[in-house]
Amino acid sequence: MRTTSSRNGNAPAGPVGPGRPVTVCGLPVHPLTLEESVAAAEALISDGGPHQHVVLNAAKIVQAHDDPELARIIRSCSLVNPDGQSVVWAGRLLGSPLPERVAGIDFMLALWRSAARNAYRVYLLGAEAKVVEETARIAAGQGVEVVGHRDGYWDESEEERVVAAVRATRPDILFLAVPSPRKEYFLARRQKDLGCALVVGVGGSFDVVAGLRSRAPRWMRRAGLEWFHRLVQEPRRMFLRYAVGNTRFVVLTATYWARLLTGRGGEAWSRRPHRRS
């Protein structure tokens, strides 16, 4: 359970727990292992929050390059992990080494174990109704106190009721399983109203836990090929994202690398005009 009740808004990256982030393609990333990330999350929960966690992969970095509001949200988050192996490689190339990839689903499952140890109250929000119900059942079976859950399908007129339902359960951690950038916008906009110490966007993690989708084998994840496994499972939805997004990420990383070599650095991104995707 929470040990303090401070409410200091969405703190800048690194003020409590995670330490100072490094910069990869103009965005902050905390150079932490999975174990260290969980310890940082526990410190944020003890602080009382509200704090927002976000993971970065190649697609989200490209989205943030096009969308200044998403970039602002990422920079304001208290804990930022590298979800994609490509982000780890880019960090090394750009002189901002990251110890390892911290995948969103691995972070969620590790936080579940922490929640069971520390009696954190957990709310699960997102995915289809049957998926989140199964995810809640599995989490509870692992000793997690799941104080509430609901699906991720609501429109603007229902948002206030969704937020009120979460707040009424007084959770310490909210896991939100909806696509990016919807989850980042929602959490940044409503985190003070949700009443949680820590809000965590987990994308499609509920689908994996519930058995709707499989994860890539460990060797593929270590080789940075999890994207190919997802492409095989969802070719129509993922083809454009990977064909275009990954190419743009490589170009973006090369641009920052060239700036690094010429001594121009990467801060120019934050000063140049952006376009929304």
Side-chain angles (χ1 to χ4, degrees), residues 2-262:
R2 241 172 279 180
T3 59
T4 71
S5 58
S6 68
R7 287 291 181 270
N8 56 9
N10 194 20
V16 178
R20 183 178 293 276
V22 299
T23 301
V24 178
C25 293
L27 295 172
V29 190
H30 288 97
L32 303 174
T33 64
L34 175 60
E35 182 178 356
E36 291 167 341
S37 298
V38 172
E42 291 172 348
L44 294 173
I45 294 167
S46 294
D47 173 69
H51 293 285
Q52 184 173 349
H53 169 270
V54 69
V55 294
L56 289 186
N57 53 27
K60 195 174 296 180
I61 287 177
V62 170
Q63 281 182 319
H65 184 260
D66 292 338
D67 184 346
E69 177 61 15
L70 178 59
R72 185 199 65 77
I73 291 170
I74 292 169
R75 292 190 184 105
S76 75
C77 287
S78 298
L79 179 58
V80 184
N81 284 135
D83 179 63
Q85 186 62 39
S86 58
V87 180
V88 176
W89 291 335
R92 293 173 185 167
L93 180 67
L94 298 174
S96 297
L98 299 164
E100 65 183 24
R101 174 193 181 206
V102 180
I105 186 169
D106 292 332
F107 182 70
M108 182 184 78
L109 295 175
L111 263 188
W112 282 8
R113 293 190 289 273
S114 174
R117 290 193 308 270
N118 295 295
Y120 296 144
R121 297 164 61 84
V122 169
Y123 196 103
L124 305 176
L125 177 61
E128 297 179 0
K130 62 181 181 180
V131 171
V132 71
E133 287 172 7
E134 177 65 6
T135 302
R137 185 190 67 80
I138 292 170
Q142 296 179 11
V144 179
E145 183 182 1
V146 180
V147 295
H149 63 81
R150 73 147 286 164
D151 66 74
Y153 296 87
W154 69 84
D155 58 31
E156 187 176 346
S157 66
E158 298 175 286
E159 182 172 298
E160 192 59 48
R161 290 195 296 274
V162 172
V163 171
V166 174
R167 184 173 59 245
T169 65
R170 299 180 293 106
D172 296 301
I173 311 172
L174 167 68
F175 293 99
L176 178 62
V178 300
S180 290
R182 179 189 169 203
K183 64 176 177 289
E184 287 80 15
Y185 294 153
F186 173 77
L187 292 177
R189 183 172 67 249
R190 302 309 302 262
Q191 63 173 292
K192 291 182 180 180
D193 304 322
L194 288 163
C196 308
L198 180 65
V199 293
V200 181
V202 293
S205 296
F206 292 180
D207 289 344
V208 176
V209 170
L212 197 65
R213 287 196 294 107
S214 66
R215 268 195 98 180
R218 186 178 296 273
W219 71 266
M220 292 186 77
R221 302 202 298 267
R222 288 178 173 172
L225 293 174
E226 191 163 12
W227 65 269
F228 183 74
H229 183 79
R230 291 194 65 189
L231 178 62
V232 170
Q233 291 187 93
E234 303 177 89
R236 290 186 178 180
R237 189 168 79 88
M238 292 296 175
F239 176 77
L240 192 62
R241 169 178 167 175
Y242 291 134
V244 177
N246 285 5
T247 301
R248 288 194 60 201
F249 177 72
V250 170
V251 172
L252 185 63
T253 302
T255 300
Y256 274 89
W257 184 59
R259 289 175 182 168
L260 189 66
L261 292 180
T262 59

